Amino acid sequence: MTVVAISASYGTGSGQIGRTLAERLEVPFVDRAIAHRIASQLDISVDEAVRNWEPAQRSFLERMVSAFLGADTVAPVGPPPDIVTAEDFHRATEAAVLEQARTGEGVILGRGAAAVLREQPDVLRVRLVGPPERRLAQAIERTGLSEDEARQTMAHLDRYHADYFKQFYGRDIDDPALYHLMIDATALDVDACVSLIVTATHSIGR
């Protein structure tokens, strides 16, 4: 069994780390697969499940839905379909994460997976972090955003991911007890981060 749940602060390069890790472990990077399962359960299109999950308006529902995205998502989007509630997304996402975990393989980025799978001993839970100014610099370099845009996006995503963990799991997203590894992804390059996680997968659940 090789399942890794990654939680990440904005600007840590989580998408690249997740994809590279999945390739190294020869397991699926299931970001898109989760969206397919959510779309099927909620009877909405896959485009609706992956698009517009970082709303410009700041209602609680809109803040909550952002937690289902990888932390480096920056595309401007609108609200989810009106018929879908915050609790709908929460239940559908938990079900999709648990379904993937039951396959025994995969790298799951975001979606609250570290909290959903916290009681499963064979799942490695990883948090990617870093000092805000270094994360900001990395985000600017990787996305091409201006400093103001990147700073606003970082504050927006970090706060809303934290809100989701607090609302649905009553946990601080940076609580070390949730994770086996917490890695400063601004101090280590992608290959070093991936190598640390790969090494940890050899011991988890043994």
Side-chain angles (χ1 to χ4, degrees):
M1 182 169 182
T2 305
V3 179
V4 181
I6 298 177
S7 171
S9 299
Y10 176 75
T12 54
S14 56
Q16 185 178 1
I17 290 171
R19 285 187 293 272
T20 304
L21 175 64
E23 292 172 3
R24 188 86 60 86
L25 294 172
E26 298 183 333
V27 301
F29 182 56
V30 296
D31 192 53
R32 185 78 179 183
I34 295 290
H36 276 269
R37 291 168 184 161
I38 293 171
S40 177
Q41 183 165 334
L42 297 179
D43 195 25
I44 60 177
S45 72
V46 174
D47 283 345
E48 286 173 319
V50 298
R51 184 186 64 211
N52 300 338
W53 282 359
E54 197 58 54
Q57 296 179 8
R58 304 301 177 90
S59 69
F60 170 71
L61 168 60
E62 294 164 342
R63 294 200 305 271
M64 184 286 302
V65 170
S66 71
F68 298 109
L69 297 174
D72 290 335
T73 299
V74 296
V77 291
D82 291 340
I83 61 171
V84 178
T85 69
E87 189 61 34
D88 289 335
F89 267 99
H90 172 61
R91 286 195 300 265
T93 300
E94 276 205 348
V97 167
L98 289 167
E99 181 181 350
Q100 184 62 43
R102 284 193 291 271
T103 71
E105 61 179 19
V107 173
I108 307 171
L109 174 61
R111 277 71 178 176
V116 176
L117 303 174
R118 64 192 181 281
E119 302 299 333
Q120 298 199 19
D122 293 330
V123 175
L124 181 70
R125 302 184 306 278
V126 179
R127 175 78 174 149
L128 302 177
V129 296
E133 291 306 312
R134 294 214 300 256
R135 290 192 285 119
L136 180 68
Q138 287 195 165
I140 292 169
E141 180 180 356
R142 288 170 173 157
T143 66
L145 293 175
S146 70
E147 180 175 342
D148 285 345
E149 289 171 327
R151 193 177 295 279
Q152 290 174 13
T153 302
M154 181 171 69
H156 183 60
L157 286 172
D158 284 353
R159 183 173 65 254
Y160 295 163
H161 293 166
D163 285 350
Y164 177 74
F165 265 67
K166 184 67 69 175
Q167 173 67 19
F168 287 104
Y169 300 105
R171 304 293 291 268
D172 181 342
I173 197 170
D174 286 310
D175 179 359
L178 277 174
Y179 309 102
H180 300 100
L181 285 177
M182 295 187 76
I183 300 173
D184 184 343
T186 67
L188 303 175
D189 63 19
V190 170
D191 285 342
C193 292
V194 169
S195 293
L196 283 172
I197 299 170
V198 168
T199 298
T201 64
H202 300 322
S203 298
I204 194 68
R206 302 298 191 269

